Amino acid sequence: VDLEQAHVIVCTGLHDDDHETAEDYRDFIKEALKRKLPMLCANPDIVVERGNRLIDCAGAIAKLYEEEGGTTIYAGKPYSPIYDAALHLASSLTGKAPHPSRVLAIGDAIRTDIAGAVKSGFGSIFVLNGIHMHELGLSEGPFEKGLYEKFLNTVSYRPTYSIAHRSEEHTSELQS
């Protein structure tokens, strides 16, 4: 519905993520805040990798909405209901509930993928060549363990393992 008729905003992403950023939604956010509408963010990822580009996601809009004083409710990673649903589905397929120690989550975002795994008691594999590749120096050259260790010292959640998705010899080793 039009913003004037809405009771809640459900944010699933940008209308045109090839050409827009979250900043393009500032005017919309200001109008929504006048109505004190809550926002449900259906995907907390702030950015995703598309080729060699990082593009804004729903989480980027929700973050701006919160920063401007709006009420935001998040669904998806790293929040437990999404993992509960996944475990329930696994149980229905296998006939028994998987023990958290036997679950391995894979993702490229520390804030959502790895945080959700850690909070749920799962092991995790952090994909190095994802959204953090620039912070890890992988967009400029080969994997350097020193840069990786420095990066890990800046984050709140540590993965169990990490791996690069390139086939180069120096980045394809599983790091623990």
Side-chain angles (χ1 to χ4, degrees), residues 144-159:
E144 292 182 35
K145 190 163 178 90
L147 285 176
Y148 177 64
E149 292 299 327
K150 186 176 178 181
F151 171 78
L152 286 180
N153 289 330
T154 68
V155 298
S156 300
Y157 299 96
R158 289 179 164 255

Side-chain angles (χ1 to χ4, degrees), residues 55-108:
I55 60 168
D56 283 352
C57 288
I61 297 172
K63 181 179 177 194
L64 287 177
Y65 198 71
E66 259 182 341
E67 289 171 356
E68 294 296 324
T71 300
T72 308
I73 303 159
Y74 292 93
K77 301 171 297 180
Y79 304 101
S80 61
I82 194 71
Y83 295 98
D84 295 342
L87 292 177
H88 178 75
L89 178 60
S91 296
S92 71
L93 295 172
T94 63
K96 63 180 184 174
H99 190 275
S101 67
R102 306 262 311 145
V103 176
L104 187 64
I106 302 170
D108 71 340

Side-chain angles (χ1 to χ4, degrees), residues 18-171:
D18 279 327
H19 300 99
E20 295 178 329
T21 69
E23 286 296 326
D24 293 315
Y25 290 79
R26 286 261 183 211
D27 290 339
F28 172 84
I29 288 169
K30 287 178 184 176
E31 291 302 312
L33 288 170
K34 288 178 186 175
R35 299 211 45 238
K36 296 183 169 110
L37 295 174
M39 177 181 283
L40 171 62
C41 178
N43 177 0
D45 284 332
I46 293 175
V47 295
V48 294
E49 176 192 15
R50 185 176 297 152
N52 288 329
R53 292 179 42 214
L54 296 179
I55 60 168
D56 283 352
C57 288
I61 297 172
K63 181 179 177 194
L64 287 177
Y65 198 71
E66 259 182 341
E67 289 171 356
E68 294 296 324
T71 300
T72 308
I73 303 159
Y74 292 93
K77 301 171 297 180
Y79 304 101
S80 61
I82 194 71
Y83 295 98
D84 295 342
L87 292 177
H88 178 75
L89 178 60
S91 296
S92 71
L93 295 172
T94 63
K96 63 180 184 174
H99 190 275
S101 67
R102 306 262 311 145
V103 176
L104 187 64
I106 302 170
D108 71 340
I110 293 287
R111 186 181 144 284
T112 53
D113 303 323
I114 304 306
V118 170
K119 290 177 182 180
S120 298
F122 305 154
S124 62
I125 296 179
F126 174 45
V127 180
L128 299 173
N129 294 90
I131 68 166
H132 296 288
M133 70 179 163
H134 300 288
E135 295 164 84
L136 294 165
L138 292 172
S139 56
E140 292 84 38
F143 175 79
E144 292 182 35
K145 190 163 178 90
L147 285 176
Y148 177 64
E149 292 299 327
K150 186 176 178 181
F151 171 78
L152 286 180
N153 289 330
T154 68
V155 298
S156 300
Y157 299 96
R158 289 179 164 255
T160 312
Y161 303 100
S162 59
I163 192 168
H165 62 67
R166 292 183 183 167
S167 61
E168 300 168 27
E169 180 183 324
H170 52 271
T171 60

